[in-house]
Amino acid sequence: MTTRPHDPVDLSSRAFWSQTAATRERSFAVLRAERPLSWHPPVQDALFDDPDDPGFWAVVRHADIVEVSRRSDVFRSGHGVIFENVPELFLEATQSFLAMDAPRHTMLRKLVSAAFTPRQVRRISDGIDADAHAVVAELAAAGTRADFVANCSSQLPLRTFSDMMGIDPADRAAVCEAADDLVSWSDPVHLAGRDPLDLMAESTVVLHEAATGLAERRRKEPADDLMTNLVQAQVDGQRLTDDEIAAFFVLLAVAGTDTTRQTANHALHALTTNPEQRRWLLDDFDARIEGAVEELLRWATPVMTFRRTAAIDFELGGQKVAAGEKVVMFYSSGNWDTAVFAQPDRLDLSRNPNPHLAFGGGGAHFCLGNQLARTQLRALFRELFTQLPGIEAGTPDYLAGNFIHAVRAMPCTF
Ligand code: HEM
């Protein structure tokens, strides 16, 4: 095991991840300027301790994050992509091809992409507009001071996911609850005394059963939904197995819901605290919303970290990374890198170009749902500013964690 000294900047403790993003950025700024690659002890108070874990390399510069993302031949995903150690069995059951490498990743991603036919994408987009309209109408009915997270931002992505997959109305509440449990294991309020690993296991079982049941029904009775396409999809004579379908279902239930929810939370807050930017957007909403969403994604950076494992010795950012070592990409740092973004701490909805890393740094694992997420965010803000033009965010209640930049609750007034 390596005896390399640890960097004095703390990125591993719970205390570090309990600070605000702005405070954490001070540490990242030091590392970006002085030590673009730095060696750190393993995550402290992790969910699952690995006594053989020597620590990780922190990759904080935009250019290096892009290199790690694009060199998936060197920086592999198959040993896990979450910053914290996660039990092997859990990886298989929940992360699908997110935590796989070529050639299996390539084949599964191709199969799934084949299910997103132009007709499906059109159908999903029309559904998003209708869902956004309904969700905002429900928020309006809940009244001023309602929690924006519970009543709005968490609702739209869950509905998109359910509609897209074709989940039967009777099963939706249970599936949405399990999806919510699976993304909330780090929230002590949500846990309410339950063991996080138990909660993860239970919600994974619920989602797997829902997925396999639905797959079986769609094989017998095809419908116009993504699950039908998933059971029918074929690439080079190969089809997805039930386990592969279930793991993909779980991946989408998590990757496609919490991320969009958190972006919407940070976005409403940013548009409240930057009224001149909001006025600029509203002066020509249709022409400006597309670029504005890119800046709001950069600002929110809802996925803060992803990890890789080096397959071979490799020189990165002037350091020698040895085969087998963990490399963690800090997207939130890359999105504040002054080598790429002028005045990154300024919300500038007209920023162009805006090569943010919210969906990853490119390459084989680049977010498959990026267009869907952008469509949801545009639809949601169009509805919010149409139905509730005076809406403002109250103080967000942030959740400590090193993976998702999460807001637990946030009141809103209108
Ligand atoms: C604002 C919302 C979203 C953000 C910030 C986000 C972010 C990310 C990031 C950072 C990655 C990893 C990229 C990499 O490793 O290079 C990823 C992968 C992925 N995302 Fe998203 N995502 C969002 C929404 C969605 C949605 C709506 C879906 C689907 C409905 C989705 C499906 C996926 C899938 C399937 C992968 C795995 C791709 C692969 O490994 O090949 N995401 N996402």
Side-chain angles (χ1 to χ4, degrees):
M1 195 181 279
T2 177
T3 51
R4 196 182 290 125
H6 292 135
D7 196 280
V9 170
D10 165 31
L11 301 180
S12 307
S13 73
R14 200 164 170 77
F16 178 79
W17 294 99
S18 304
Q19 304 175 107
T20 62
T23 309
R24 288 193 294 260
E25 164 52 19
R26 286 190 219 136
S27 298
F28 290 129
V30 170
L31 291 175
R32 279 195 308 270
E34 295 171 12
R35 299 181 297 280
L37 236 73
S38 51
W39 180 252
H40 298 264
V43 176
Q44 291 163 14
D45 306 320
L47 191 61
F48 177 74
D49 276 325
D50 174 0
D52 299 324
D53 184 356
F56 63 90
W57 288 107
V59 185
V60 291
R61 280 189 186 165
H62 188 283
D64 294 331
I65 293 173
V66 168
E67 179 160 20
V68 170
S69 303
R70 303 206 171 165
R71 291 299 306 265
S72 51
D73 53 331
V74 175
F75 298 104
R76 315 284 280 175
S77 298
H79 296 288
V81 291
I82 305 284
F83 188 2
E84 285 196 26
N85 295 313
V86 177
E88 198 79 25
L89 195 70
F90 188 72
L91 277 187
E92 276 281 309
T94 60
Q95 298 188 356
S96 181
F97 53 81
L98 178 66
M100 286 180 197
D101 298 304
R104 203 159 160 235
H105 167 265
T106 321
M107 198 273 285
L108 287 177
R109 186 164 163 135
K110 240 194 211 167
L111 266 169
V112 165
S113 305
F116 282 96
T117 58
R119 182 183 156 84
Q120 273 306 320
V121 172
R122 231 179 1 259
R123 198 185 69 86
I124 297 166
S125 301
D126 291 348
I128 289 173
D129 289 341
D131 285 342
H133 183 80
V135 164
V136 174
E138 285 163 31
L139 174 66
T144 186
R145 285 186 223 300
D147 177 13
F148 181 73
V149 181
N151 290 283
C152 186
S153 65
S154 63
Q155 295 300 316
L156 179 63
L158 284 172
R159 284 186 204 191
T160 305
F161 168 71
S162 305
D163 291 349
M164 177 172 90
M165 274 291 170
I167 298 170
D168 299 332
D171 297 335
R172 288 191 178 199
V175 167
C176 291
E177 194 184 323
D180 202 36
D181 282 347
L182 203 50
V183 298
S184 308
W185 56 264
S186 64
D187 178 3
V189 175
H190 188 92
L191 282 174
R194 290 172 293 182
D195 179 76
L197 281 173
D198 287 348
L199 187 73
M200 278 163 116
E202 282 160 27
S203 37
T204 305
V205 169
V206 172
L207 292 173
H208 266 240
E209 283 175 2
T212 20
L214 183 61
E216 207 171 306
R217 288 197 292 285
R218 290 299 183 267
R219 277 193 196 100
K220 287 190 202 127
E221 274 178 57
D224 190 9
D225 54 35
L226 186 63
M227 185 55 92
T228 302
N229 287 10
L230 287 174
V231 297
Q232 291 176 347
Q234 263 195 66
V235 171
D236 303 332
Q238 302 232 46
R239 281 182 196 272
L240 293 163
T241 65
D242 266 5
D243 279 348
E244 285 163 352
I245 288 178
F248 179 62
F249 184 92
V250 181
L251 171 64
L252 279 200
V254 176
T257 59
D258 202 21
T259 46
T260 311
R261 160 197 341 203
Q262 299 304 345
T263 310
N265 296 335
H266 295 294
L268 182 63
H269 188 249
L271 292 170
T272 303
T273 51
N274 294 272
E276 77 301 340
Q277 288 292 305
R278 176 181 178 138
R279 270 194 302 279
W280 178 84
L281 170 63
L282 291 177
D283 276 349
D284 195 354
F285 185 89
D286 287 340
R288 294 176 177 170
I289 185 63
E290 205 163 305
V293 161
E294 298 310 308
E295 176 70 347
L296 293 166
L297 280 158
R298 183 188 73 85
W299 194 256
T301 315
V303 178
M304 298 186 290
T305 56
F306 260 133
R307 143 158 97 85
R308 300 288 192 261
T309 307
I312 52 168
D313 293 355
F314 192 82
E315 191 170 320
L316 180 73
Q319 285 284 353
K320 283 196 171 58
V321 175
E325 287 182 335
K326 282 183 193 172
V327 165
V328 178
M329 296 177 279
F330 291 86
Y331 300 130
S332 34
S333 172
N335 277 343
W336 252 249
D337 190 340
T338 46
V340 177
F341 302 102
Q343 294 186 283
D345 52 351
R346 229 187 106 227
L347 181 79
D348 175 4
L349 298 180
S350 67
R351 196 181 287 280
N352 184 22
N354 195 340
H356 65 75
L357 304 170
F359 294 119
H365 290 276
F366 189 71
C367 177
L368 191 65
N370 71 86
Q371 291 303 338
L372 196 60
R374 289 172 160 127
T375 306
Q376 286 179 314
L377 291 163
R378 287 196 298 265
L380 183 63
F381 280 93
R382 172 170 285 115
E383 284 299 329
L384 282 170
F385 290 136
T386 306
Q387 293 188 46
L388 303 170
I391 188 163
E392 291 197 346
T395 307
D397 179 6
Y398 293 104
L399 202 55
N402 58 33
F403 180 36
I404 300 294
H405 186 201
V407 174
R408 174 194 290 131
M410 184 175 75
C412 64
T413 52
F414 42 81

